Amino acid sequence: MNTKIKGSIVVILITFFAWYFLLKPSDYTIRFEAKTATGTIYQGVLDWAAAKTKSNTESYTTVEKRNYDFIKQELKKGDEHLVYTWTLTSVNDSTTKIVVDIKDENHSWYNKLTAPFVSTPFREKQIARVKDFKVGLDEHLKAFKVRIDGEGESTADYIAYISLTSVMQEKAQTMIANDAVITGYLFRNNIKIIGKPFIEVTNWDKDKEILQFNYCFPIPKDAKFVANPKVKFKTIPAVKGLKATYFGNFRTSDRAWFALLDYAEKQDIELDTKVVEYFLANPFNGGNELEWETKIIIPFAKK
């Protein structure tokens, strides 16, 4: 081997080790796939970390996030100071690739030398933590189903509605808490409900995960409006968009929203954020939640 080749090899090795020990952001990486949309994983990671923190099992802080494909968290427990970076990539509308990069702020060099190559307490603990998340995720995925239906259209209706605001995770609870406000108004004023209830999202703040939406009931066009500080009447027009069918508890119907977002991205379709969601089952009747059907339409963005 001549001197020039040896020199090139030395440069390559020095460059590699400099990158590996000084620039590589993680000490250990775990990869896996899940049969669901990126948003479902994203929400699942945040919920899992919040549950761990609330139970005082571990304390996670989200230091950076990007909807719906990136979360960076810090874990501080005893002498542990770890950084977890979750990168979520949509393979298709029903599969997500998850990459978890893990860095130990106190023992990074040692872990880089050992964890990728041999079993260590650090490595086994990280595998156990991610496995704990995945077990919970797998159980959650059994509780609902999503079917992408393609292009669809909502219906034009004359409605009575109330305007509500909530975090995404509490959309259904907020509706239930206010159900008596609007149904009681309609009952007291002898106004017949002539269709299934639905919501019309008027603003979806993805960064703060806050929804502003109208909780709507179709009524006859000749219904007499009786003044009320919360209940309003209006005509809602039909809109075209991407449609999905969700089977499961209404609390997590946004899983279908996430599937539609992934589908739209793969198909290069631009969507608005004003989701329309029709509830075709009555949760007050109980029964098998996997038979509760919800139709979701996310309108095409206006050009």
Side-chain angles (χ1 to χ4, degrees), residues 73-107:
Q73 298 173 316
E74 279 190 337
L75 165 64
K76 293 183 179 179
K77 180 183 179 183
D79 62 350
E80 282 187 297
H81 183 188
L82 303 176
V83 176
Y84 292 84
T85 302
W86 301 74
T87 303
L88 317 175
T89 304
S90 173
V91 178
N92 52 52
D93 60 88
S94 62
T95 304
T96 297
K97 180 171 68 176
I98 301 104
V99 177
V100 190
D101 289 312
I102 307 162
K103 182 175 182 180
D104 184 338
E105 296 286 11
N106 296 327
H107 309 96

Side-chain angles (χ1 to χ4, degrees), residues 44-265:
V45 172
L46 296 178
D47 290 347
W48 172 78
K52 290 290 184 183
T53 301
K54 186 176 181 179
S55 67
N56 293 319
T57 306
E58 296 166 342
S59 180
Y60 291 89
T61 301
T62 300
V63 296
E64 186 180 351
K65 61 181 181 178
R66 182 179 61 238
N67 293 319
Y68 286 102
D69 59 8
F70 178 86
I71 302 172
K72 186 175 183 180
Q73 298 173 316
E74 279 190 337
L75 165 64
K76 293 183 179 179
K77 180 183 179 183
D79 62 350
E80 282 187 297
H81 183 188
L82 303 176
V83 176
Y84 292 84
T85 302
W86 301 74
T87 303
L88 317 175
T89 304
S90 173
V91 178
N92 52 52
D93 60 88
S94 62
T95 304
T96 297
K97 180 171 68 176
I98 301 104
V99 177
V100 190
D101 289 312
I102 307 162
K103 182 175 182 180
D104 184 338
E105 296 286 11
N106 296 327
H107 309 96
S108 183
W109 279 41
Y110 175 76
N111 290 324
K112 283 180 178 178
L113 279 171
T114 57
F117 311 107
V118 297
S119 178
T120 65
F122 165 81
R123 170 172 158 175
E124 295 308 310
K125 186 175 288 188
Q126 306 322 307
I127 292 173
R129 281 191 177 127
V130 175
K131 185 177 181 180
D132 179 68
F133 164 76
K134 190 174 184 303
V135 168
L137 174 67
D138 290 342
E139 284 301 307
H140 175 58
L141 296 182
K142 295 176 183 177
F144 69 89
K145 294 184 292 185
V146 176
R147 184 184 71 221
I148 301 294
D149 299 321
E151 185 173 331
E153 185 174 7
S154 66
T155 58
D157 288 301
Y158 188 61
I159 60 170
Y161 70 97
I162 54 176
S163 297
L164 302 171
T165 300
S166 77
V167 296
M168 287 191 67
Q169 300 92 319
E170 296 177 3
K171 168 175 62 70
Q173 295 93 315
T174 301
M175 290 165 52
I176 292 171
N178 288 275
D179 188 75
V181 174
I182 185 166
T183 57
Y185 168 89
L186 296 173
F187 177 78
R188 288 192 304 273
N189 293 287
N190 297 312
I191 299 173
K192 186 178 181 181
I193 299 171
I194 60 173
K196 297 294 185 180
F198 64 95
I199 66 167
E200 172 199 25
V201 174
T202 55
N203 186 62
W204 178 4
D205 188 327
K206 294 180 181 178
D207 291 328
K208 296 180 180 180
E209 298 186 285
I210 293 177
L211 294 175
Q212 293 175 326
F213 62 95
N214 295 326
Y215 183 28
C216 312
F217 285 80
I219 59 174
K221 291 183 178 180
D222 60 355
K224 182 180 178 181
F225 176 68
V226 178
N228 184 280
K230 293 185 176 180
V231 180
K232 307 296 180 185
F233 288 10
K234 72 172 183 177
T235 297
I236 182 172
V239 294
K240 291 183 178 181
L242 286 182
K243 181 179 178 181
T245 302
Y246 169 85
F247 299 93
N249 193 295
F250 299 156
R251 291 194 305 268
T252 52
S253 59
D254 56 9
R255 281 27 178 176
W257 304 14
F258 300 142
L260 285 171
L261 291 180
D262 282 358
Y263 179 87
E265 182 178 2

